[in-house]
Amino acid sequence: MDSFFRSEEMCLVQLFFQTESAHNCINELGHLGLVQFKDLNPGTVAFQRRFVKEVKKCEEMERILRFLENEVVKSNIPIPADFTSETIPVPRDVLDLESRFDKLEQELKEINSNRDTLRQNFTQLMEINHLLQMTDDFFEELPSEDSVYSSKVTCRRTSYTSTNGPLKLGFVAGVIKHERFPAFEKILWRLFHGNFVLRHAEIKPHEEENMAEDPVKKDVFVVFVQGDQIRGKIRKLCDGFHASMYPCPNNAYARKEMRTNANTRIEDLRLVLKRTEEFRETTLTAAAANLQEWTSKVKKMKAIYYTLNLCNIDITQKLIVAEIWCPVSDLNSVHTALIHGSEQSGSSLSPVVNRIQTQQTPPTFNRVNSFTTGFQSIIDAYGVGNYQEINPAPYTMVTFPFLFAVMFGDCGHGLVMTLLALWLILHQEHFRKLKNELIDMLVDGRYIIFLMGLFSIYTGLIYNDCFSKSFNVFGSSWSVRPMFHPHGPWTNDTLHDSGHLHLDPLVSGVYSGNPYPFGVDPIWNIASNKLSFLNSYKMKMSVIMGVAHMLFGVTLSLVNYINLKDVALQFIPEVIFMLSLFGYLIFLILYKWCVVMKSESAPSILLLFINMMLFDYSSEGTVLYRTQKPVQIFLVVVAVLMVPWLLFAKPLLLYRKHKQLKLFCLSLFFGVKKAFFSLQVSMADIFVYQGIHTIEYCLGCISNTASYLRLWALSLAHAELSEVLWKMVLQVALRVTSGMGSVLLAVTFAAFAVLTVTILLVMEGLSAFLHALRLHCTPSTYTPDVAFGFCS
């Protein structure tokens, strides 16, 4: 149980096992997941290690597997996510898989190359077919068709008829991309000044004719001009625009024959393409069935060879020596796993496990499970603590969702979030198969969302807020009836003449004297001063929670300071400083709540605290109790004295130890100047570091106490947004009494639900999550002595 609240006790272990059992032993340790191998070859670069060739082969196989996976995904072939094969990779698997993957890659590349060539030929034939079709349509519009196409040429500037007999025209036909055609036509106009006839049409192939993965819109065109020289210029222009030019016969019979041949070849290519796609799909389907197993096996082999590069091999090449860090409580499990791996490989000798003593600092290991892994991941993302330090993850499992819920206090929204988390928990395996980064993040944090939802339900009940409405379960502690009694201040005329009325708690019977049993009294939901009351309440509550949170962090660091023997030098002055100022601030808030005072004479806590720091007691109305002035002066003086204690006590003590060490070194060695210079440098570093820590702690206590006011601000924003959605969306539909009111209510409720989910649950929820994370990662609530999230 102790390991749950702090990093586990680790030990350094030396392993000896035979070479032929190395793969099985390391595989078993990898599945166990409780050891960290130590690099026994720190001076050897990566490309000089023994198994670097095997690692490169595994990386090459990973590249081929990524290529196969991309091809499978492009073809919309499902990849089975479940596979039951637990085969242990052995060295011969590298050669077998390597040859299989190379053969499969070459085969698939050849299929893709042939398919692309066939598609290109098919596209060209389809373009020729459309070009012949357009040419035939153009000639059918003319009065006669012969080698002499027409005796009349239409010019874009002028129209004229040749007087020297019919003109013999030639034409250039081709296909161009649709977006390039306007520029092509414009340049034709500028070059030939309209002395040409241009016909074009967009290619609109049928679905079965579209063989390309990313179809490109194209236009067919025919340009009729006079003279071979001009036609040559047009061909050069077509080359510049990357237009495809195709030969087109002059007479109708030749065009018909060419079109018939093209259709025949199109049908043949369509059949060949169909067979090619079927063969490719069959190949990819067979590969997809084994893709997950291959990927797992290659990753295991790569990890095993990478681990073997960290070990040493004796001269006989028969024994492998490794050193690992592992938890002390799991030594038996590690030994059992090694024996099991040795038995699987058929080794005649059992592995040897030898625990060795070391002065090195072990790595930090915090044991997690499916419930705590999300919180531990958040903590480790900010910083990993030192060895054997307090692990704040167990406490964060309470404080993190609670601070979130303070800002997200609505039991209705919390219930929706809880149901979402339960859905994720129940269907986590299904969601993991989707392989979506956002969904994976939600699944990994499913228990965080679940706790945030539960705590939001609790704080929503405290605020008595459910979709901006209140519950009246126990009956209000306030009553209006006594205000109308014979001696009361209200009459019927008062109700008609006044827009807002105030209940007077001094009138007998108006306030029962007993507070609402749980949460905020529901009468505040209809009160005109609701916002003022809740603002004051939530603001003071935020300060109390913030100071309590930071004090709890300082208290947690006590265990670390005991190990470092810095209790008197660090812990005590830090606690006294915080309690003298901010502990007293909490006392003032609670005292003001408990003492019965009129609102006109009650002093402002903010002004009272500012005057306390300035020693200003001249203004009236700043006294809350009788001995306030001497108490406040004493607390401020004590807090100020803690600053030099934090700043100089630890460095001076270290200086004394260094001075004693210096005298001892002078009595044994020469080189007095060198020893003294190094002493000066180290002491300067210590003073600078301690000064930075003191300034950060003292200023951080002030700034982060104010930073906790975000609990009040976001809680207010959430409540106001929820009330706006209720009044401006759903309440409008509820007031409609016409015959179509039910239809309008259904539509309005759908809009209300969408806005609630998108704005309040998603946007406000994410904002509250980030602010809760900020309050757990403040610099004043973190020092190198505590891993995360609390003062130290």
Side-chain angles (χ1 to χ4, degrees), residues 12-46:
L12 185 62
V13 178
Q14 197 172 35
L15 306 179
F16 300 90
F17 46 84
Q18 289 183 313
T19 306
E20 57 268 18
S21 64
H23 283 73
N24 298 77
C25 292
I26 294 177
N27 181 72
E28 291 296 326
L29 291 179
H31 283 291
L32 193 62
L34 294 174
V35 302
Q36 177 181 329
F37 279 81
K38 184 180 177 183
D39 190 2
L40 300 182
N41 307 294
T44 306
V45 294

Side-chain angles (χ1 to χ4, degrees), residues 456-739:
S456 297
I457 295 175
Y458 171 74
T459 54
L461 294 175
I462 292 292
Y463 296 156
N464 204 350
D465 200 355
C466 180
F467 298 109
S468 78
K469 306 306 293 179
S470 297
F471 298 112
N472 189 4
V473 180
F474 304 102
S476 176
S477 299
W478 295 79
S479 177
V480 180
R481 189 179 301 276
M483 299 293 291
F484 289 97
H485 284 177
H487 300 288
W490 290 0
T491 62
N492 291 333
D493 295 335
T494 308
L495 296 179
H496 294 288
D497 298 338
S498 303
H500 294 279
L501 295 173
H502 296 277
L503 294 175
D504 188 357
L506 297 179
V507 176
S508 177
V510 172
Y511 179 63
S512 64
N514 299 318
Y516 195 68
F518 185 80
V520 177
D521 197 304
I523 200 172
W524 288 106
N525 192 48
I526 60 174
S528 59
N529 60 338
K530 168 189 174 182
L531 194 60
S532 301
F533 166 73
L534 291 180
N535 270 347
S536 176
Y537 164 69
K538 291 183 179 180
M539 182 173 62
K540 294 180 175 63
M541 177 194 66
S542 300
V543 174
I544 294 173
M545 288 183 178
V547 176
H549 190 214
M550 292 189 292
L551 281 173
F552 179 63
V554 173
T555 306
L556 278 184
S557 67
L558 175 61
V559 179
N560 298 333
Y561 284 136
I562 290 175
N563 293 335
L564 297 174
K565 299 180 180 179
D566 281 348
V567 177
L569 303 179
Q570 293 282 133
F571 177 75
I572 292 178
E574 287 179 356
V575 172
I576 294 176
F577 178 85
M578 185 173 290
L579 288 177
S580 299
L581 298 181
F582 304 102
Y584 180 71
L585 177 62
I586 295 179
F587 166 76
L588 291 178
I589 295 174
L590 296 178
Y591 187 85
K592 184 178 178 181
W593 280 349
C594 295
V595 175
V596 178
M597 300 180 67
K598 291 185 178 181
S599 58
E600 294 83 4
S601 59
S604 170
I605 298 295
L606 179 60
L607 294 178
L608 192 150
F609 191 72
I610 294 174
N611 291 332
M612 167 186 169
M613 302 302 298
L614 298 176
F615 297 98
D616 184 7
Y617 299 96
S618 58
S619 59
E620 298 181 358
T622 59
V623 178
L624 195 61
Y625 57 94
R626 185 176 301 175
T627 58
Q628 177 178 332
K629 180 178 179 180
V631 170
Q632 292 184 168
I633 294 176
F634 172 76
L635 292 176
V636 173
V637 172
V638 169
V640 171
L641 291 177
M642 293 303 106
V643 176
W645 188 351
L646 279 171
L647 194 60
F648 297 110
K650 184 175 181 179
L652 290 177
L653 180 62
L654 292 176
Y655 175 77
R656 180 181 177 184
K657 292 182 179 180
H658 276 267
K659 189 175 181 180
Q660 294 174 355
L661 180 62
K662 173 192 170 184
L663 295 176
F664 177 75
C665 293
L666 290 175
S667 63
L668 296 178
F669 302 102
F670 296 99
V672 179
K673 294 183 178 180
K674 184 176 181 181
F676 185 72
F677 179 74
S678 63
L679 177 64
Q680 283 183 337
V681 173
S682 62
M683 289 308 303
D685 293 341
I686 292 174
F687 272 103
V688 170
Y689 175 80
Q690 189 65 22
I692 293 174
H693 173 75
T694 303
I695 295 172
E696 180 185 11
Y697 178 81
C698 297
L699 295 182
C701 289
I702 300 172
S703 63
N704 287 293
T705 301
S707 182
Y708 276 93
L709 292 176
R710 69 186 67 219
L711 298 174
W712 153 59
L714 267 76
S715 175
L716 175 64
H718 186 86
E720 291 302 310
L721 282 174
S722 180
E723 188 171 356
V724 167
L725 284 182
W726 169 263
K727 289 184 177 180
M728 300 186 64
V729 180
L730 195 58
Q731 193 178 53
V732 175
L734 291 173
R735 290 178 176 176
V736 177
T737 58
S738 61

Side-chain angles (χ1 to χ4, degrees), residues 245-404:
M245 292 177 292
Y246 299 105
C248 186
N250 293 334
N251 56 75
Y253 178 78
R255 288 195 300 272
K256 184 177 179 181
E257 288 292 330
M258 185 175 180
R259 189 174 181 186
T260 302
N261 294 334
N263 288 330
T264 303
R265 293 182 61 188
I266 287 172
E267 293 300 326
D268 294 339
L269 281 176
R270 184 179 284 114
L271 181 61
V272 175
L273 275 171
K274 182 179 179 182
R275 295 286 184 262
T276 303
E277 289 290 346
E278 291 177 353
F279 180 67
R280 181 176 181 273
E281 185 175 357
T282 302
T283 304
L284 290 177
T285 302
N290 301 315
L291 194 60
Q292 292 294 331
E293 182 179 358
W294 289 342
T295 303
S296 176
K297 186 174 291 188
V298 171
K299 286 183 178 179
K300 284 183 179 180
M301 288 190 297
K302 182 181 177 182
I304 289 173
Y305 284 120
Y306 178 82
T307 305
L308 286 174
N309 280 331
L310 303 177
C311 306
N312 281 336
I313 302 179
D314 69 340
I315 300 176
T316 62
Q317 305 294 318
K318 294 183 179 180
L319 187 66
I320 292 181
V321 182
E323 291 184 3
I324 62 172
W325 292 102
C326 72
V328 175
S329 58
D330 293 316
L331 274 176
N332 293 332
S333 300
V334 171
H335 195 197
T336 303
L338 289 172
I339 293 176
H340 185 255
S342 179
E343 291 175 351
Q344 287 180 339
S345 62
S347 176
S348 59
L349 297 177
S350 299
V352 177
V353 177
N354 180 32
R355 181 175 177 179
I356 58 178
Q357 300 295 328
T358 179
Q359 297 297 324
Q360 300 179 18
T361 302
T364 302
F365 174 70
N366 296 304
R367 199 180 299 270
V368 295
N369 52 39
S370 59
F371 185 81
T372 62
T373 182
F375 295 96
Q376 193 69 53
S377 298
I378 294 177
I379 291 172
D380 293 341
Y382 182 75
V384 179
N386 296 329
Y387 175 64
Q388 284 281 281
E389 283 190 343
I390 290 293
N391 180 24
Y395 314 101
T396 308
M397 289 188 292
V398 177
T399 60
F400 185 85
F402 179 71
L403 291 184
F404 169 87

Side-chain angles (χ1 to χ4, degrees), residues 135-152 166-167 169 224 250-252 255:
T135 307
D136 289 340
D137 294 342
F138 174 74
F139 286 131
E140 287 177 1
E141 296 176 2
L142 298 178
S144 63
E145 179 182 350
D146 202 346
S147 59
V148 179
Y149 297 116
S150 178
S151 61
K152 185 180 294 186
L167 297 176
L169 300 179
F224 294 88
N250 293 334
N251 56 75
R255 288 195 300 272

